[in-house]
Amino acid sequence: MAQARLIEELIESLRALPGIGPKAAQRMAYQLLSSKKKEAERLGRTLLEAVDKVHRCPSCNNLTDSDLCQYCASPDRDDSLLCVVESVADMMVIEQSLSWSGRYFILMGRLSPLAGVGPSDISFNHLVQRVGDERVKEVVLATSFTPEGEATALAITEILQRYYPQLRISRIAKGVPAGAELEYTDVNTVAQAMLNRQIRENN
Ligand SMILES: [Zn+2]
């Protein structure tokens, strides 16, 4: 039956989204097609328009519907600081932390030799080019603390040091999470926090 095929296709499409299992996809499809037809129409229109107009920012790889994304276009940000992250989601977390006033660069992935992801599969060349902007004085590596994220940070350090010997390269610190009790923190995290300890200045 034609109708059943369309419903099946809708459920399959919804299942492609992260975190959506078969049950949830089915529930969403039935809701959209029965009680939420207006929302479904709006979702369809917005999705088509977004797919058509949203593109990668040529400077940092963020998603935008303007020439440059809001973070690259803002005159209030520090051009000398560039924070390298793996994904748009990672950039948003740093943004929400209100701890960063510099610019961003999104790698769109991380090195993963086992999965066949090499430097040419993520934006290494683009990053080297971006750091060529002489206003950039420090690059902060904010890739994940997984083996792949660490390997990515190391590879970026090596390549940037080769191209730009004067550049300052830093890595975000590992440590005990805010609000955590030491007793319940895993020993590796405590060890890293001890290594990354900071001197208390005398007042
Ligand atoms: Zn941008």
Side-chain angles (χ1 to χ4, degrees):
M1 279 196 305
Q3 193 192 28
R5 181 183 58 81
L6 275 177
I7 297 172
E8 279 306 309
E9 274 187 27
L10 178 59
I11 293 171
E12 276 305 301
S13 304
L14 290 167
R15 274 193 67 183
L17 299 171
I20 306 291
K23 278 258 158 58
Q26 197 170 322
R27 217 166 42 234
M28 285 163 85
Y30 289 147
Q31 274 240 336
L32 287 169
L33 294 173
S34 49
S35 57
K36 301 211 182 277
K37 279 210 159 180
K38 276 228 146 45
E39 282 93 331
E41 278 170 17
R42 207 182 70 167
L43 176 66
R45 274 198 309 274
T46 314
L47 188 59
L48 276 180
E49 199 184 341
V51 167
D52 185 41
K53 295 195 176 141
V54 171
H55 56 91
R56 294 276 172 191
C57 170
S59 174
C60 76
N61 287 333
N62 187 16
L63 294 170
T64 180
D65 60 0
S66 313
D67 291 343
L68 283 176
C69 78
Q70 62 189 106
Y71 306 115
C72 291
S74 166
D76 302 325
R77 290 190 168 252
D78 190 339
D79 284 315
S80 69
L81 299 170
L82 188 71
C83 178
V84 178
V85 292
E86 291 173 12
S87 65
V88 175
D90 290 353
M91 182 196 71
M92 292 314 297
V93 171
I94 294 175
E95 204 42 36
Q96 282 157 13
S97 76
L98 303 177
S99 61
W100 185 245
S101 58
R103 309 274 179 194
Y104 291 100
F105 185 87
I106 301 162
L107 288 169
M108 299 202 294
R110 55 185 170 205
L111 294 180
S112 180
L114 287 178
V117 181
S120 59
D121 299 304
I122 57 178
S123 291
F124 261 47
N125 290 339
H126 188 184
L127 174 62
V128 172
Q129 224 178 61
R130 173 69 181 85
V131 178
D133 178 338
E134 59 191 21
R135 290 173 297 182
V136 178
K137 302 292 180 228
E138 178 176 352
V139 168
V140 180
L141 301 172
T143 54
S144 310
F145 287 105
T146 58
E148 285 101 346
E150 296 279 25
T152 307
L154 190 67
I156 292 174
T157 304
E158 283 171 359
I159 196 166
L160 289 183
Q161 277 174 344
R162 188 149 24 107
Y163 277 91
Y164 310 108
Q166 304 300 318
L167 182 72
R168 228 176 115 188
I169 302 173
S170 57
R171 177 92 167 103
I172 54 168
K174 291 186 238 185
V176 179
E181 303 269 8
L182 269 196
E183 185 183 350
Y184 303 116
T185 305
D186 76 280
V187 289
N188 288 327
T189 305
V190 173
Q192 280 298 335
M194 189 56 87
L195 275 174
N196 297 336
R197 67 187 183 276
Q198 291 178 350
I199 304 290
R200 276 281 155 91
E201 302 294 342
N202 277 333
N203 294 321

